[in-house]
Amino acid sequence: MRRYFGRKLLVYGLTFLVAVTINWMIPRFMPGDPVQSMLARANVSQPAAVEAMRAHYTSLFGLDLPLWEQYGNFWAALFRGDLGTSIWLFPTPVTDIIIRAVPYTLALLIPSILLSWWAGNRFGAFAARRRWLDNTALPIGYVLTATPYMWLAILLAWGLGIVAGIFPVSGGYSFAMRPNWSWEFVGNLALHWFLPFVSLFLVAFGGWAIGMRNMIIYELEADYSTYLSSLGASRRLIRRYAFRNAVLPQITGLALQLGVLVAGALVTEIVFSYPGLGHLILQAIQNQDFFLLQGTFLFIVVGVLVANFIIDIVYVLVDPRTRTGIGGEAA
């Protein structure tokens, strides 16, 4: 077990190194000058003052150094926990900006991923037992899983927000309110959270339901199901074993789809102007904020890697064949 997780940690470490390096490179190969964008917002008209400010901020952000030295300074600052200072919201540290946005993104991602996976698997297993439900739910599931997150978010915002006027379509809470711990504010947060959550939930739900439905049918036609049936085992017992075996590929699928789900959440946040990491990425790109962009990407990369590692641990715990293979290999 120690060797198995040691290899896993090595793979995740190399992945982190490559991903963070690419994350550092992307903003620097983008067109445009972040310092020039910052000076344009300052609206300074005197040429001498503009040049002095350009030289000052270029030196302050370390953009006058060679790329290899900037890369080394980036890793040195990262090990100190310093993600730099935002160009867009200067002089606010990037860490402070991300900390304010992370709760909104986690409040969308964690419930939508976990609930869609659980409900989709349950519904897919149930649909495989009922022909009429299978014939009606399967096409709906294909439509949902093929629907882009952004398109469904726009439809929900238009239908339930603009036309029906039931839910707000922008922001994390009403602009007339100030954050506090009152029930009124919590209810307002829930109203703004609902449409982004539903758009993420529905798309993921369709994919998990279809996957579980297909796996249940495959497991019910497997040799062990036929053998149990010939022994007189009840249908309920056979389906229970089939569900346990069918859910294992779904756990693997959760690890594989995690990046797609996170990307969908970021796009959905942009549609609803939800103040999470997706909204920060958009603002960082528009304002050419290198440090905010790479800091946000860094948090996403670390979050996805940690979640995948947790899923690997869960898979070892729920699948005895994996533990047997690890023990046999160790022996």
Side-chain angles (χ1 to χ4, degrees):
M1 188 74 71
R2 186 178 303 173
R3 291 176 55 190
Y4 172 78
F5 284 113
R7 288 195 302 269
K8 285 288 184 181
L9 287 174
L10 178 61
V11 171
Y12 281 116
L14 293 176
T15 304
F16 173 78
L17 176 64
V18 173
V20 172
T21 300
I22 297 175
N23 169 34
W24 177 86
M25 293 171 59
I26 288 176
R28 284 158 179 79
F29 286 97
M30 290 172 55
D33 184 357
V35 175
Q36 180 61 38
S37 175
M38 185 178 182
L39 294 177
R41 292 194 301 272
N43 196 21
V44 180
S45 57
Q46 298 180 358
V50 170
E51 290 302 320
M53 292 176 65
R54 183 194 304 275
H56 171 72
Y57 286 120
T58 301
S59 175
L60 179 66
F61 293 122
L63 300 177
D64 57 338
L65 301 175
L67 286 178
W68 65 268
E69 193 169 349
Q70 293 185 41
Y71 181 69
N73 292 338
F74 165 75
W75 278 106
L78 183 60
F79 285 127
R80 296 194 306 267
D82 181 13
L83 298 180
T85 304
S86 171
I87 297 176
W88 168 46
L89 297 175
F90 183 85
T92 308
V94 169
T95 305
D96 294 347
I97 301 174
I98 293 177
I99 287 176
R100 291 198 298 264
V102 163
Y104 291 97
T105 297
L106 293 182
L108 276 183
L109 274 176
I110 295 177
S112 60
I113 290 176
L114 296 181
L115 289 178
S116 64
W117 187 84
W118 179 82
N121 286 325
R122 290 293 178 179
F123 184 81
F126 184 75
R129 312 175 198 173
R130 305 288 189 274
R131 183 174 298 275
W132 65 270
L133 186 59
D134 187 26
N135 293 334
T136 55
L138 187 62
I140 297 176
Y142 278 120
V143 170
L144 287 176
T145 192
T147 302
Y149 290 95
M150 181 176 63
W151 187 69
L152 181 59
I154 293 174
L155 287 181
L156 291 173
W158 176 78
L160 298 179
I162 297 175
V163 176
I166 302 174
F167 297 99
V169 297
S170 179
Y173 52 88
S174 297
F175 297 112
M177 301 187 68
R178 298 187 64 180
N180 56 77
W181 293 106
S182 66
W183 286 111
E184 182 183 3
F185 180 74
V186 173
N188 193 266
L189 280 176
L191 282 176
H192 285 77
W193 167 86
F194 184 76
L195 286 184
F197 163 76
V198 170
S199 62
L200 293 174
F201 175 84
L202 289 178
V203 175
F205 173 84
W208 299 128
I210 291 172
M212 176 54 73
R213 176 259 180 194
N214 294 336
M215 289 304 304
I216 283 290
I217 293 177
Y218 172 81
E219 294 295 335
L220 290 177
E221 295 176 354
D223 292 339
Y224 75 89
S225 296
T226 305
Y227 179 69
L228 286 174
S229 179
S230 65
L231 293 178
S234 64
R235 295 286 294 174
R236 182 177 181 181
L237 178 63
I238 296 174
R239 290 185 182 278
R240 185 183 304 171
Y241 280 113
F243 181 82
R244 289 180 179 179
N245 289 329
V247 81
L248 297 177
Q250 294 291 83
I251 296 177
T252 305
L254 179 60
L256 296 175
Q257 291 293 317
L258 200 57
V260 177
L261 295 171
V262 171
L266 301 180
V267 173
T268 302
E269 288 180 0
I270 293 174
V271 172
F272 290 100
S273 296
Y274 200 70
L277 296 179
H279 182 69
L280 278 188
I281 290 175
L282 177 63
Q283 295 297 326
I285 293 174
Q286 291 176 342
N287 293 278
Q288 297 177 342
D289 192 338
F290 286 4
F291 305 102
L292 180 58
L293 188 61
Q294 68 189 21
T296 308
F297 280 154
L298 176 65
F299 183 87
I300 294 171
V301 167
V302 171
V304 171
L305 290 178
V306 170
N308 273 274
F309 185 70
I310 293 174
I311 293 174
D312 282 339
I313 296 175
V314 171
Y315 195 88
V316 171
L317 295 177
V318 300
D319 189 358
R321 295 171 297 182
T322 307
R323 296 194 298 272
T324 302
I326 294 174
E329 182 180 335

